[in-house]
């Protein structure tokens, strides 16, 4: 038996898919079952329903919903109380089920470390981000005690966990160097893509474009995801606007749950004149691949900072699995092999980049080769092999 605990408010997030996949991988290898523990904010208590939260996988035989205490983060003392509560909850669930291992998602791992000496099992920390750097980036005015607390959280988790699962080779190097952790204790699980769901299907291109009112000759950009500032949607829109000046028939397909927000954003950026050429819609997850096949190139712009350097964006894997070249920035050199940049699988766009060259590179790229890159570097099969190696080490 394994116990996997986490906190995530979004049932459709990449984090949740990652948790599902790790559960299944370990259970299938160990020939065991999983108990899932979800910590949730009391502010979200009305949303804690099986119909709203994600479905249990076949290997999850039981699920606990454990509320977090309110007012988390208001002060270091209240944070300490909340951590203690989480630790006690983990300990009681452990004593009831006596699992052979516990897997803790990053944001709650610190609490398990407090009780580590009382847990007679292997503890695996799922660390999918450089947490102090991420908080500092997203919260420029963060109070010092909060940043110190988050740093202690990452330090204790890194040093006390028996094994660490992280999302990239760059993150593995980051943890090993920052905390002097033996690399043999760190395994990479890249949030890979299901290449049976996301795939290159040339026949879908005309079908989907016809549904959307896009001509076969259009040059089509695509972006999938939220509209937070760090996701660089404003920059993507500006590149699209500039491309329209040199390409007669150009469209931008945006798959997002924030369609109304996008309309406001176009107005704020004085880009309302693009409204007829920006096609925004919300799509079920199992239909995203169809829309990706209708596009020519995808956007995945990020700032070149530690938070992004250690990432392994799920969207990158999904884009590439559908044979799409990706417009990114210098940070992409931390995500992929240099060959993927050299063959224009990844187009590193910087200010002053020649847009005509970008369009030519996209038109001349080998989409089948891009898909093969995804299968070789970002598939769930690759992730699975790393989990097998981790489990072998546990034994």
């Amino acid at each position: 038996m394994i116990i996997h605990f986490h906190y995530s408010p979004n049932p459709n997030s990449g984090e949740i898919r990652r948790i599902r996949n790790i559960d299944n991988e370990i259970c299938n290898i160990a020939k065991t079952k999983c108990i899932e523990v979800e910590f949730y904010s009391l502010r979200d208590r009305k949303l804690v329903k099986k119909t709203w939260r994600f479905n249990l996988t076949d290997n999850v035989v039981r699920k606990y919903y454990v509320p977090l205490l309110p007012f988390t983060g208001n002060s270091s003392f209240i944070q300490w109380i909340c951590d203690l509560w989480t630790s006690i909850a983990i300990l009681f669930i452990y004593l009831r089920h006596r699992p052979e291992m516990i897997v803790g998602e990053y944001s709650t791992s610190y609490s398990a470390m407090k009780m580590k000496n009382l847990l007679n099992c292997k503890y695996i920390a799922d660390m999918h981000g450089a947490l102090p750097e991420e908080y500092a980036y997203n919260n420029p005015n963060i109070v010092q005690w909060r940043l110190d607390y988050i740093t202690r959280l990452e330090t204790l988790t890194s040093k006390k966990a028996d094994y660490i699962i992280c999302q990239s080779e760059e993150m593995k190097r980051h943890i090993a160097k920052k905390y002097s952790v033996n690399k043999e204790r760190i395994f990479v699980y890249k949030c890979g893509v299901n290449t049976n769901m996301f795939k290159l299907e040339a026949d879908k291109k005309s079908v989907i474009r016809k549904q959307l009112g896009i001509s076969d000759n259009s040059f089509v950009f695509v972006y999938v995801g939220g509209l937070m500032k760090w996701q660089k949607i404003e920059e993507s829109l500006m590149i699209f606007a500039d491309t329209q000046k040199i390409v007669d028939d150009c469209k931008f397909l945006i798959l997002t749950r924030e369609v109304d927000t996008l309309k406001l954003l176009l107005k704020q950026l004085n880009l309302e004149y693009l409204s007829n050429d920006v096609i925004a819609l919300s799509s079920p997850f199992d239909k995203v691949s169809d829309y990706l096949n209708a596009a020519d190139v995808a956007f995945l712009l990020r700032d070149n900072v530690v938070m992004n350097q250690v990432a392994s964006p799920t969207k990158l894997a999904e884009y590439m699995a559908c044979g799409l070249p990706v417009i990114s920035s210098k940070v992409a050199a931390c995500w992929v092999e240099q060959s993927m940049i050299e063959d224009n699988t990844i187009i590193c766009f910087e200010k002053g980049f020649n847009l005509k060259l970008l369009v030519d590179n996209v038109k001349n790229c080998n989409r089948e080769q891009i898909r093969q890159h995804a299968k070789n570097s970002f598939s769930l099969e690759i992730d699975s092999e790393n989990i097998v190696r981790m489990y072998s080490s546990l034994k």
Side-chain angles (χ1 to χ4, degrees):
M1 181 70 68
I2 71 169
I3 291 176
H4 196 150
F5 63 91
H6 66 88
Y7 168 77
S8 184
N10 183 356
N12 300 301
S13 69
E15 292 173 83
I16 291 298
R17 292 199 295 276
R18 177 187 176 85
I19 290 166
R20 283 174 174 167
N21 291 338
I22 290 175
D23 282 348
N24 280 334
E25 295 286 2
I26 295 176
C27 287
N28 290 340
I29 295 165
K31 295 181 172 55
T32 188
K33 295 295 182 181
C34 176
I35 292 172
E36 183 185 335
V37 183
E38 179 176 330
F39 291 92
Y40 69 94
S41 168
L42 286 173
R43 291 188 297 269
D44 297 334
R45 61 189 179 277
K46 292 181 180 179
L47 301 175
V48 182
K49 301 175 182 177
K50 287 185 179 180
T51 54
W52 185 86
R53 310 304 273 197
F54 62 86
N55 295 325
L56 299 176
T57 65
D58 292 341
N59 286 319
V60 176
V61 294
R62 184 160 189 173
K63 180 161 182 172
Y64 291 101
Y65 293 104
V66 182
L68 294 170
L69 297 182
F71 316 118
T72 303
N74 284 16
S75 73
S76 57
F77 176 72
I78 293 176
Q79 185 64 62
W80 180 82
I81 294 292
C82 292
D83 288 338
L84 181 61
W85 158 248
T86 308
S87 299
I88 292 171
I90 292 169
L91 178 62
F92 269 89
I93 294 171
Y94 163 79
L95 291 172
R96 179 169 183 177
H97 296 283
R98 300 285 180 175
E100 63 174 308
M101 72 178 75
I102 291 179
V103 182
E105 187 261 339
Y106 199 5
S107 57
T108 48
S109 290
Y110 175 69
S111 298
M113 294 298 101
K114 284 179 171 289
M115 298 289 186
K116 177 73 164 56
N117 294 336
L118 299 177
L119 305 178
N120 186 25
C121 65
K122 295 294 184 182
Y123 182 78
I124 301 165
D126 178 20
M127 299 174 65
H128 46 80
L131 210 57
E133 290 83 357
E134 182 174 337
Y135 267 79
Y137 176 87
N138 289 324
N139 305 278
N141 299 318
I142 188 171
V143 294
Q144 190 59 45
W145 79 259
R146 184 68 178 164
L147 189 58
D148 291 343
Y149 161 76
I150 294 165
T151 302
R152 286 199 303 274
L153 180 158
E154 187 175 77
T155 304
L156 190 62
T157 299
S158 299
K159 290 183 174 296
K160 282 201 170 187
D162 294 298
Y163 290 95
I164 294 168
I165 301 174
C166 66
Q167 82 282 22
S168 71
E169 293 294 339
E170 191 68 24
M171 181 67 177
K172 181 175 179 176
R173 287 188 286 270
H174 175 78
I175 297 168
K177 181 179 180 180
K178 188 174 182 180
Y179 300 110
S180 300
V181 175
N182 185 343
K183 287 185 178 180
E184 299 299 315
R185 290 175 46 215
I186 309 173
F187 294 83
V188 175
Y189 193 90
K190 287 187 176 180
C191 308
V193 62
N194 181 342
T195 53
N196 293 319
M197 175 179 287
F198 287 85
K199 52 191 174 182
L200 176 58
E201 297 177 280
D203 59 316
K204 291 282 179 71
K205 187 171 185 176
S206 292
V207 174
I208 299 299
R209 286 193 175 200
K210 186 175 181 180
Q211 291 177 8
L212 297 173
I214 300 173
S215 74
D216 288 340
N217 295 322
S218 290
F219 187 82
V220 181
F221 294 91
V222 69
Y223 169 78
V224 181
L227 305 180
M228 299 293 288
K229 196 169 184 64
W230 62 269
Q231 293 167 312
K232 299 290 183 181
I233 186 63
E234 293 183 17
E235 288 81 351
S236 299
L237 286 166
M238 296 306 296
I239 293 172
F240 170 65
D242 288 340
T243 306
Q244 274 210 325
K245 297 172 185 176
I246 63 169
V247 177
D248 291 335
D249 189 356
C250 191
K251 304 291 183 184
F252 191 178
L253 174 59
I254 299 177
L255 304 182
T256 182
R257 297 178 182 277
E258 304 169 66
V259 174
D260 291 337
T261 302
L262 180 63
K263 293 177 182 177
L264 291 174
L265 185 59
L266 287 172
K267 185 175 181 179
Q268 291 169 4
L269 297 173
N270 295 318
L271 296 175
E272 288 178 287
Y273 68 91
L274 295 177
S275 296
N276 292 333
D277 295 316
V278 174
I279 303 168
L281 55 90
S282 178
S283 168
F285 180 67
D286 60 357
K287 297 296 182 184
V288 171
S289 179
D290 293 350
Y291 290 110
L292 294 183
N293 273 279
D296 294 299
V297 62
F299 278 115
L300 188 62
L301 300 174
R302 296 289 187 271
D303 284 336
N304 190 15
V305 296
V306 171
M307 176 187 77
N308 294 323
Q309 291 165 0
V310 302
S312 181
T314 304
K315 290 303 171 209
L316 177 66
E318 292 172 356
Y319 290 154
M320 289 174 57
C322 294
L324 279 173
V326 180
I327 299 170
S328 191
S329 52
K330 286 183 178 179
V331 71
C334 297
W335 304 337
V336 299
E337 300 169 9
Q338 184 61 31
S339 62
M340 296 184 196
I341 295 173
E342 292 171 353
D343 68 10
N344 292 316
T345 296
I346 307 294
I347 301 170
C348 292
F349 187 95
E350 297 295 329
K351 190 173 182 179
F353 193 96
N354 186 319
L355 284 172
K356 186 178 185 307
L357 179 61
L358 182 150
V359 174
D360 290 342
N361 286 340
V362 168
K363 289 182 176 179
N364 293 323
C365 71
N366 185 328
R367 294 190 65 162
E368 186 55 51
Q369 181 176 297
I370 292 173
R371 172 167 169 78
Q372 198 58 48
H373 273 319
K375 293 185 73 171
N376 293 340
S377 299
F378 297 103
S379 69
L380 289 177
E381 288 77 13
I382 301 296
D383 286 340
S384 180
E385 291 171 9
N386 286 333
I387 294 297
V388 169
R389 282 197 288 273
M390 183 194 73
Y391 188 75
S392 298
S393 297
L394 283 172
K395 292 301 180 180

